[in-house]
Amino acid sequence: MSPVITYSRNVFVPLTFVCRNICGYCIFRRPPGEGCVLSPDEVIRVLRRGAEAGCTEALFTFGEHPEEVAGFMPFLEQYGFGSILEYCHAMAEEALRLGLLPHTNAGIMTADEMSYLADVNASMGLMLETTADIPAHRNCPGKEPARRIAMIEDAGRLKIPFTTGILLGIGETRSDRRESLEVIAGLHRKYGHIQEIIIQNFCPKPGTDMSAFPGATLRDMQETVRMAKEILPSDIAIQIPPNLADAAQILPCGVTDLGGISPVTIDYVNPEHPWPAFDELAALTKGYTLKERLCIYPEYIRRGWYHPRLRDCIISLENTIHMRGTSVIPAKPLYEGKAKSVYASENPDELIVVFRNDMTAFNGVKHDQFTDKGRLNATASEFFMKMLEAEGIPTHHIRMSAPDTMIVRRLEMIPLEVIVRNVAAGSMTKKYPVKEGMVLDRPVVTIDYKDDERGDPMINDDLIEVLHILTADELRKVKEMALHVNKVLTRFFDECGIRLVDFKLEFGKADGTIYLGDEISMDSMRLWDKKTGESFDKDVYRFDKGDVIAAYRNVLKRIIPDSGV
């Protein structure tokens, strides 16, 4: 079997660039001023983008002890926080709410401060950088080697899964690098808490005191990775940053991890060096098995080295990366709908559909996000697609790659929305003289032309043929399929104590065959309890009838009793 190279899919969240340290090589640090603290709204927006892109880790990084810098506190206090760690804790809670595991790099912290953050962080980190006393750290109280070693040791006592590392080319010698690695190895042998060590090459930045420094050479990196492999216990992953170093030339020296790669945010510490795209990562590791991981390594999950409140998120994300395997979601979608994003796949005949947590109504006028909503709809859609395939109805569903991600057949979508109605409800009662709840004599099929700008107008058979959307035979086939779906679903829901009021379908073509596409979920159906008439669908959200996620879970519990919702 080929050697395994791991990586994490993360979103980088720099809460502030203000820092008490003045390193000779850093461009991350900025003085206090307007926008020096990322607002809560901005943080949540970035976290949502990360969650939607399939990230599993929220990397919180910020300047060390910014409170010590004159003029900083008013910019933090405007958001109601008295310290940067308090703010980090609150934003880490938001990350967890969105299904991301936080990992915090806060610079020097006391044992009490790390303990405070531990209930919302799956792991933490602090670069040792070097054990040497170097000019680059002259104005950096937090870079004193003894203080950094003491914090890494405190993390071990607290059983915090930890990341550390050394920075090459900042004025240290080869013997300094060896000493730094030996210190890290000794701490790990004592506490067993160091998951990974980063071997990072310094990249000179214009405008800094060290802009003329040569930095670390490829040979330096290769030699230090070999040295790390020789010195470190074998259970510590050896990581290099693939955006900074010639990874293909260094991997054979003993690298086992490529760190956090973000599909949505830049490397704020080295902004001039973009992350490799996931397809580039796969090419870079040709000859190796590329495997995704969480920010907390499997061994520490097995040991239970995490706060109980993180358990559900860890389990969910473990399942996500297990199902995703080595397949990756590109950074940019081909198409973004109101509640789903569609991405290209490595297979040109397939697409990747991510069910998002967005919920909209009234053509997007009302818009919110609900934790787990995407997964619930994806679970339902997979269930119904498989059921309909078994009944002879071809669908675009191929497999699930994550709880909220479906691999589907690439279709040429037909710009029609086919609605099947069994009971009068919704727009039908507004347009026609019927009362809500009236059972129709037979199922009624209506078709709308999909065009947001035109308001999805209703379209008749003649127009569909004249506009060359479908031939008469194709239109007849679509209607037959819609009524067949209705027959299967109506019978099934009836057994579950649910009335299928109406639903909408979309279709597409591939190789001359018409397939059922899009989704079949609580978002696309109107469902009522047979006895009470209670809504179990999007109307709960649309008309503020109660907890829409509870309603969706109710449906899944009835249709898939062992779904674990």
Side-chain angles (χ1 to χ4, degrees):
M1 182 179 175
S2 56
V4 173
I5 302 290
T6 56
Y7 75 98
S8 169
R9 191 182 300 226
N10 75 12
V11 55
F12 198 133
V13 188
L15 295 181
T16 183
F17 296 94
V18 178
C19 182
R20 70 173 177 180
N21 295 322
I22 307 174
C23 300
Y25 47 78
C26 180
I27 61 167
F28 182 83
R29 182 185 186 275
R30 299 176 196 170
E34 204 63 43
C36 71
V37 176
L38 207 62
S39 74
D41 286 346
E42 289 173 309
V43 172
I44 292 168
R45 190 156 49 244
V46 171
L47 291 172
R48 280 179 177 160
R49 285 176 56 214
E52 289 166 7
C55 296
T56 62
E57 171 188 352
L59 171 60
F60 289 101
T61 298
F62 41 93
E64 183 176 288
H65 291 263
E67 300 93 337
E68 295 182 15
V69 181
F72 169 75
M73 284 307 295
F75 294 102
L76 180 63
E77 288 168 344
Q78 68 179 318
Y79 300 121
F81 298 96
S83 74
I84 193 66
L85 294 186
E86 182 188 355
Y87 186 36
C88 180
H89 192 285
M91 294 302 97
E93 288 184 320
E94 292 294 332
L96 288 169
R97 184 178 63 81
L98 292 167
L100 298 167
L101 283 174
H103 170 98
T104 295
N105 292 336
I108 291 293
M109 288 189 284
T110 66
D112 286 344
E113 288 169 335
M114 284 190 284
S115 185
Y116 168 66
L117 288 180
D119 72 326
V120 290
N121 273 268
S123 56
M124 298 185 206
L126 177 77
M127 290 287 283
L128 172 58
E129 294 197 8
T130 180
T131 53
D133 183 10
I134 55 174
H137 290 162
R138 186 179 297 115
N139 298 310
C140 309
K143 294 298 176 79
E144 184 183 330
R147 299 187 68 180
R148 298 177 90 76
I149 292 168
M151 177 179 156
I152 298 170
E153 186 161 20
D154 282 341
R157 293 190 185 99
L158 293 169
K159 294 186 176 180
I160 294 172
F162 210 75
T163 296
T164 189
I166 60 175
L167 190 55
L168 275 56
I170 55 173
E172 84 293 347
T173 65
R174 185 178 185 277
S175 62
D176 292 332
R177 295 169 191 166
R178 176 171 287 277
E179 180 183 70
S180 298
L181 292 169
E182 287 172 345
V183 167
I184 292 168
L187 289 169
H188 182 71
R189 288 191 181 98
K190 188 174 183 180
Y191 299 103
H193 66 305
I194 296 174
Q195 305 186 112
E196 58 191 3
I197 178 171
I198 305 169
I199 310 294
Q200 182 171 327
N201 52 310
F202 159 61
C203 298
K205 306 287 192 295
T208 66
D209 293 346
M210 296 177 64
S211 60
F213 257 60
T217 65
L218 173 61
R219 183 176 177 181
D220 288 333
M221 288 290 289
Q222 291 172 323
E223 182 183 74
T224 308
V225 168
R226 292 191 191 101
M227 189 187 297
K229 187 177 180 183
E230 167 203 332
I231 293 170
L232 297 174
S234 61
D235 56 340
I236 297 180
I238 299 175
Q239 179 189 125
I240 61 167
N243 61 322
L244 305 183
D246 186 352
Q249 298 296 316
I250 306 170
L251 287 179
C253 301
V255 174
T256 59
D257 186 79
L258 294 176
I261 311 293
S262 181
V264 292
T265 50
I266 64 170
D267 178 351
Y268 287 94
V269 178
N270 297 281
E272 74 277 19
H273 295 280
W275 303 115
F278 287 123
D279 55 350
E280 295 173 326
L281 204 63
L284 181 71
T285 55
K286 188 175 182 181
Y288 297 84
T289 299
L290 184 62
K291 186 175 181 181
E292 188 177 356
R293 60 163 175 82
L294 301 182
C295 63
I296 176 172
Y297 277 53
E299 179 178 341
Y300 296 90
I301 295 173
R302 290 193 296 271
R303 291 185 194 176
W305 280 28
Y306 55 86
H307 193 278
R309 71 183 298 189
L310 305 180
R311 180 180 177 275
D312 288 349
C313 190
I314 288 172
I315 290 172
S316 175
L317 290 176
E318 273 198 306
N319 186 46
T320 294
I321 63 173
H322 173 73
M323 296 181 72
R324 190 151 58 199
T326 56
S327 65
V328 294
I329 298 176
K332 293 184 179 180
L334 295 174
Y335 167 78
E336 267 201 317
K338 294 184 178 72
K340 294 191 297 296
S341 298
V342 180
Y343 297 85
S345 168
E346 294 172 356
N347 184 334
D349 296 326
E350 297 177 357
L351 294 171
I352 304 168
V353 179
V354 177
F355 289 71
R356 305 198 313 269
N357 289 333
D358 295 78
M359 176 99 52
T360 65
F362 311 117
N363 204 23
V365 173
K366 189 175 183 181
H367 180 201
D368 289 286
Q369 285 198 332
F370 297 95
T371 300
D372 215 28
K373 182 255 184 184
R375 182 184 71 86
L376 298 177
N377 273 344
T379 300
S381 197
E382 179 200 25
F383 177 79
F384 288 123
M385 292 281 184
K386 286 182 174 179
M387 175 188 292
L388 295 172
E389 286 274 5
E391 294 285 344
I393 300 168
T395 79
H396 70 162
H397 169 267
I398 296 175
R399 66 185 181 279
M400 301 299 290
S401 66
D404 61 353
T405 305
M406 184 182 289
I407 308 300
V408 302
R409 182 178 282 102
R410 185 188 284 265
L411 302 178
E412 179 189 348
M413 294 304 293
I414 300 166
L416 300 175
E417 196 171 79
V418 180
I419 301 104
V420 181
R421 301 180 184 275
N422 299 305
V423 180
S427 61
M428 183 177 184
T429 62
K430 297 176 182 177
K431 295 178 180 178
Y432 305 103
V434 290
K435 291 184 178 181
E436 182 167 279
M438 187 186 84
V439 178
L440 304 177
D441 292 343
R442 60 177 177 81
V444 173
V445 177
T446 60
I447 302 177
D448 291 344
Y449 179 69
K450 280 184 65 65
D451 189 321
D452 285 342
E453 290 184 5
R454 292 180 171 82
D456 296 340
M458 187 180 287
I459 189 169
N460 64 23
D461 293 8
D462 287 344
L463 279 172
I464 291 171
E465 293 178 40
V466 168
L467 295 176
H468 304 291
I469 298 171
L470 291 173
T471 65
D473 286 344
E474 289 173 333
L475 179 56
R476 182 168 58 254
K477 177 66 173 176
V478 163
K479 288 184 176 181
E480 287 174 354
M481 289 174 70
L483 289 171
H484 190 180
V485 170
N486 184 58
K487 182 178 180 181
V488 173
L489 294 185
T490 299
R491 181 177 64 239
F492 175 75
F493 275 121
D494 187 67
E495 294 171 355
C496 298
I498 297 174
R499 172 169 289 169
L500 179 58
V501 177
D502 56 47
F503 59 95
K504 58 184 179 181
L505 302 172
E506 292 184 32
F507 296 86
K509 300 179 189 176
D511 300 324
T513 299
I514 295 176
Y515 292 88
L516 177 61
D518 195 45
E519 67 179 294
I520 305 179
S521 71
M522 291 72 73
D523 268 10
S524 63
M525 298 184 283
R526 189 173 272 114
L527 305 169
W528 294 348
D529 184 275
K530 279 178 64 177
K531 293 181 179 179
T532 67
E534 179 185 357
S535 292
F536 292 147
D537 52 69
K538 202 171 172 180
D539 277 355
V540 176
Y541 168 72
R542 188 179 283 117
F543 301 115
D544 299 316
K545 293 183 176 182
D547 185 340
V548 66
I549 297 302
Y552 281 23
R553 290 184 191 278
N554 194 333
V555 173
L556 282 183
K557 286 176 183 175
R558 294 196 190 196
I559 65 174
I560 319 173
D562 59 351
S563 60
V565 299

